[in-house]
Amino acid sequence: MSVIIGTAGHIDHGKTALIKALNGFEGDRMKQEKERGITIDLSFSNLKRGDENIAFIDVPGHENLVKTMISGAFGFDACLLVVAANDGIMPQTKEHINVLNLLGVNSIVVAISKSDLVSRTELLEREHEIHEYIAGFKNLQILEVFHTSIKDENSINELRNYLFNIKPKIRPADGVFRYYIDRVFSIKGVGSVVTGSVIEGSVHKNEKVFNYDLGKELTVRSVQVHDSFVESAQASNRVALNLTGAELSELKKGQLLSKKGFFRGFLEVDAVVFSESLSHNENVTFCVGSKQCAAKALILSKENGSIFATFKFDKEMFLKFNEPFVLIANARVIGGGRVLNPISEPMKKQGKVLFLNALNKFDFKTAFEILKDTHKNGFGIISAFQRFGLTHEEAINIAKSLKNAFVDEAMLNIYDISAIERVKGFTKFILEKNQFAIFSPASISLKLGWASEKLVVTALNELEEARLITKNDGVYTKTGVDLSELKVRLEDEIYKILDSAKLAPDAPYNIYDELEVDRVSGDNALKKLTSQGRVTRLAHNLFVTTKALEEAEVKLRDIIKEQGLVNVQNAKDRLGLSRKYIIAYLEHLDRSNDIIKDGMNRMLKS
């Protein structure tokens, strides 16, 4: 079992010294840190007892390093809050406690350090003061309070033994792997290495992961947990990954590693915010994981002490539903909250507030109802993991419980039931324009763009039950129309269009749209015309009448007779056609026995 415990507290209250007493690790390893006597960067170490492992993240206490403190705190299972007995709660102690509350680090072990410097009475006063202050945060819980001194080995042993009893937060080990990079470095003979905490899911040696900020797929060459190489690592572990597929200079703190296809980036998100000072249009630093991004806060509403707000970023963010964040303005923490809608959702203000209120209560059924009513052309749940923290199966089960909804499970689309009537109306419109139209579910779906084939099939079945249309050989026609006669008519109509276009015909799919026929029927008609010799296929999506092809060949040969050769340029000048058509006609000419090709030129053999 592994648990991540972070230290927090005011500068000089002895966090780093306490960690050293617990496990012998010298946290202030950088020259600058040793000279200044403060922790500047995150320090990582661990403590083992048999199969049990405690990963320590020692965060800086200096007021100017609050962003670094936040980047470490997001991965804590519990916090070791260090308060010096001779100082008590100080400004950074309060700020750190606020950050823990905002990020949902609810379990706190208090270590009153330097307890040898004060009397027993003063120690008890400090303990009371700490209990009273933390009681003001309804989500925070003090697990235990210890009076410690690095000069008192018994107090250190007592704290060490207790820490091994702390259980990690329940994080979905079988979920989708997510991991924010917090450090990047290179090891000679190994290559690029990144470190971070596994937020959820697991990562395995030799598997592919996706760096969303780079847009690159990387390979995990090796996985290391506290100096030990392992085959895989799960949530609630500090993990080092040896990565290939990107240059060291490309890898940065704050980048998100996950599995490909689960996230999309957006320049704005909606969230619930807990802050007493956030103002509309305020510029803030949005801190999530180890990433910080400049943002503008647009307040949508204030209800019951909570703020619903939209954050607009200066770069794409790959966020997830219910992900905690902290807001900084003027180098101070002014609040934080949880992401509710991690994608850009075009809604009117009133509707969006109702939507966010439902998400804030984890009332996904109401949220789905709002989306269904807002998006008359349906909405997708393929991104259910990012949008709602749900699996596809969970999202579909919620969708099935909705009233007046049509659910396409295969395509992961949800429609209001009125969408069926609109598909029926569009089909009737096609028949009004052309009573000889031939169509299929695929062709109707393609024309509409928003309607899935399953939805179209349902609509067409209802029209067939009403005897307005008839199904034959997988396609539909208006009831009463003879399909065999219609096929002959279709061949003639396609030929007329090709003939009128002469040397520059449209692509077949454009002709099918003009005639209101599905692609299968159109392709079959073209095949028939080709087998009859009336039409020739020159290239992909390029069919011409045989008469037009003969005309083109005569003109190309005339150019050879006059100029000694023909190529793309002089053929374009003579025929007035685009390069696409000229190349197709020249390649057809190449098949003639009396033509030779010299580079881009064609000439007669004689």
Side-chain angles (χ1 to χ4, degrees):
M1 183 191 75
S2 183
V3 62
I4 300 175
I5 295 178
T7 65
H10 195 75
I11 184 173
D12 288 336
H13 274 205
K15 298 186 303 298
T16 304
L18 185 59
I19 294 297
K20 184 179 180 182
L22 287 167
N23 66 2
F25 179 78
E26 178 65 73
D28 292 338
R29 65 200 181 286
M30 295 168 56
K31 180 182 178 183
Q32 188 181 8
E33 289 177 335
K34 287 182 178 294
E35 288 174 353
R36 294 176 61 186
I38 62 172
T39 301
I40 294 174
D41 200 357
L42 297 174
S43 295
F44 307 102
S45 62
N46 73 305
L47 181 62
K48 298 200 75 168
R49 187 176 72 182
D51 293 332
E52 297 176 300
N53 181 73
I54 297 173
F56 288 108
I57 302 179
D58 185 16
V59 304
H62 195 275
E63 63 180 357
N64 295 328
L65 300 170
V66 65
K67 290 181 185 177
T68 306
M69 183 270 168
I70 292 167
S71 72
F74 86 98
F76 293 179
D77 289 311
C79 177
L80 178 60
L81 180 67
V82 182
V83 182
N86 57 337
D87 275 345
I89 295 176
M90 297 292 282
Q92 268 59 65
T93 317
K94 294 179 179 180
E95 190 161 56
H96 284 192
I97 290 171
N98 188 28
V99 169
L100 296 172
N101 181 57
L102 292 168
L103 293 179
V105 183
N106 304 327
S107 301
I108 296 176
V109 177
V110 177
I112 301 178
S113 62
K114 307 181 183 182
S115 59
D116 56 309
L117 300 182
V118 300
S119 67
R120 175 70 179 172
T121 301
E122 288 175 294
L123 272 176
L124 294 176
E125 287 176 0
R126 287 283 179 255
E127 186 171 336
H128 176 73
E129 170 191 311
I130 294 166
H131 271 289
E132 192 171 60
Y133 184 78
I134 292 180
F137 298 85
K138 64 178 183 180
N139 294 322
L140 298 183
Q141 176 190 9
I142 295 178
L143 301 180
E144 192 62 78
V145 178
F146 292 89
H147 303 160
T148 65
S149 167
I150 59 173
K151 299 175 182 178
D152 179 1
E153 190 174 338
N154 287 333
S155 70
I156 301 300
N157 289 337
E158 186 181 0
L159 173 60
R160 184 189 296 115
N161 290 334
Y162 180 82
L163 293 178
F164 276 110
N165 294 320
I166 294 176
K167 304 299 181 186
K169 276 185 182 178
I170 298 174
R171 292 186 172 102
D174 58 348
V176 178
F177 168 66
R178 280 203 312 140
Y179 174 107
Y180 282 106
I181 295 174
D182 58 35
R183 281 195 304 172
V184 180
F185 51 92
S186 179
I187 298 176
K188 189 175 181 179
V190 175
S192 300
V193 177
V194 300
T195 65
S197 298
V198 180
I199 305 170
E200 60 183 303
S202 58
V203 61
H204 301 262
K205 179 182 175 182
N206 295 325
E207 79 169 327
K208 301 283 187 183
V209 296
F210 197 76
N211 185 316
Y212 278 88
D213 296 272
L214 287 181
K216 283 187 175 183
E217 195 163 48
L218 312 177
T219 300
V220 179
R221 184 183 287 171
S222 64
V223 180
Q224 195 177 63
V225 177
H226 303 298
D227 301 325
S228 298
F229 287 101
V230 294
E231 290 298 310
S232 64
Q234 290 72 38
S236 284
N237 269 300
R238 286 280 312 157
V239 178
L241 302 175
N242 176 207
L243 300 176
T244 62
E247 298 296 324
L248 180 69
S249 59
E250 294 180 284
L251 299 170
K252 306 290 182 186
K253 178 179 177 178
Q255 291 175 344
L256 175 69
L257 301 184
S258 186
K259 302 301 291 182
K260 189 174 182 179
F262 282 90
F263 291 90
R264 288 185 295 157
F266 293 92
L267 292 173
E268 64 176 65
V269 301
D270 305 307
V272 59
V273 181
F274 310 106
S275 173
E276 296 180 358
S277 60
L278 181 69
S279 57
H280 186 63
N281 274 330
E282 184 173 4
N283 291 317
V284 297
T285 300
F286 189 100
C287 304
V288 57
S290 56
K291 185 194 298 284
Q292 290 108 35
C293 184
K296 175 168 281 191
L298 306 176
I299 294 177
L300 300 172
S301 75
K302 294 185 177 182
E303 297 180 8
N304 303 322
S306 297
I307 299 171
F308 289 141
T310 297
F311 290 94
K312 293 185 177 291
F313 305 110
D314 60 1
K315 62 182 179 182
E316 283 192 339
M317 296 285 277
F318 303 88
L319 302 175
K320 185 190 171 189
F321 170 76
N322 206 39
E323 194 163 10
F325 61 87
V326 174
L327 300 176
I328 294 176
N330 300 317
R332 298 270 54 83
V333 174
I334 64 165
R338 294 182 293 113
V339 174
L340 295 180
N341 180 38
I343 74 167
S344 180
E345 178 63 66
M347 277 186 182
K348 292 182 179 178
K349 183 177 177 180
Q350 186 176 2
K352 180 167 278 191
V353 170
L354 292 174
F355 178 56
L356 296 179
N357 193 50
L359 290 174
N360 192 34
K361 297 174 182 176
F362 296 85
D363 181 2
F364 296 118
K365 183 176 180 180
T366 299
F368 279 27
E369 287 280 9
I370 293 170
L371 288 174
K372 177 179 71 69
D373 294 340
T374 302
H375 299 286
K376 296 299 183 183
N377 289 343
F379 71 95
I381 51 174
I382 192 167
S383 58
F385 175 75
Q386 178 180 11
R387 255 190 122 170
F388 311 111
L390 300 172
T391 65
H392 288 161
E393 184 180 6
E394 289 168 338
I396 286 171
N397 287 336
I398 293 169
K400 285 179 176 179
S401 71
L402 304 179
K403 293 181 180 178
N404 300 318
F406 180 90
V407 183
D408 187 335
E409 295 185 41
M411 298 304 295
L412 298 170
N413 284 338
I414 302 169
Y415 301 91
D416 185 80
I417 203 72
S418 63
I420 295 174
E421 290 303 318
R422 287 189 294 120
V423 174
K424 288 162 67 175
F426 179 75
T427 307
K428 291 175 184 177
F429 172 71
I430 290 175
L431 292 173
E432 287 171 6
K433 283 175 59 183
N434 177 11
Q435 63 175 328
F436 301 109
I438 305 173
F439 50 91
S440 66
S443 67
I444 298 293
S445 177
L446 194 64
K447 285 177 183 291
L448 286 172
W450 55 267
S452 70
E453 281 195 42
K454 183 178 178 181
L455 179 70
V456 175
V457 167
T458 302
L460 296 184
N461 285 343
E462 290 186 10
L463 289 175
E464 188 178 18
E465 288 174 9
R467 299 188 179 181
L468 294 176
I469 61 174
T470 302
K471 186 177 182 180
N472 289 293
D473 297 335
V475 295
Y476 293 85
T477 60
K478 186 176 181 179
T479 297
V481 173
D482 188 318
L483 184 60
S484 59
E485 290 182 10
L486 206 55
K487 287 180 179 179
V488 174
R489 178 188 175 90
L490 178 58
E491 292 163 17
D492 291 340
E493 291 293 331
I494 290 175
Y495 185 84
K496 285 179 186 177
I497 292 173
L498 291 174
D499 189 42
S500 64
K502 299 188 182 300
L503 301 183
D506 255 346
Y509 52 82
N510 290 327
I511 298 173
Y512 304 159
D513 284 346
E514 183 181 341
L515 295 174
E516 301 291 358
V517 298
D518 74 295
R519 291 195 176 186
V520 174
S521 300
D523 287 348
N524 288 337
L526 264 180
K527 287 176 184 176
K528 189 73 175 288
L529 289 169
T530 304
S531 67
Q532 292 170 351
R534 298 170 67 191
V535 169
T536 300
R537 181 179 184 177
L538 282 185
H540 178 67
N541 280 334
L542 178 54
F543 291 80
V544 297
T545 63
T546 304
K547 182 174 68 173
L549 180 59
E550 290 170 354
E551 179 188 340
E553 186 170 344
V554 169
K555 290 183 177 181
L556 294 176
R557 287 178 177 274
D558 285 345
I559 296 171
I560 295 175
K561 290 174 185 176
E562 294 171 16
Q563 302 181 28
L565 58 87
V566 65
N567 55 33
V568 172
Q569 191 55 54
N570 62 11
K572 279 179 66 178
D573 294 341
R574 177 68 63 86
L575 275 64
L577 299 174
S578 70
R579 183 181 179 85
K580 177 185 78 171
Y581 292 108
I582 293 298
I583 290 175
Y585 287 125
L586 288 175
E587 288 178 347
H588 180 77
L589 185 66
D590 291 339
R591 301 172 197 165
S592 303
N593 292 330
D594 62 336
I595 296 293
I596 59 173
K597 183 179 178 183
D598 181 14
M600 296 302 293
N601 300 322
R602 277 82 171 175
M603 297 166 285
L604 290 169
K605 283 183 179 179
S606 58

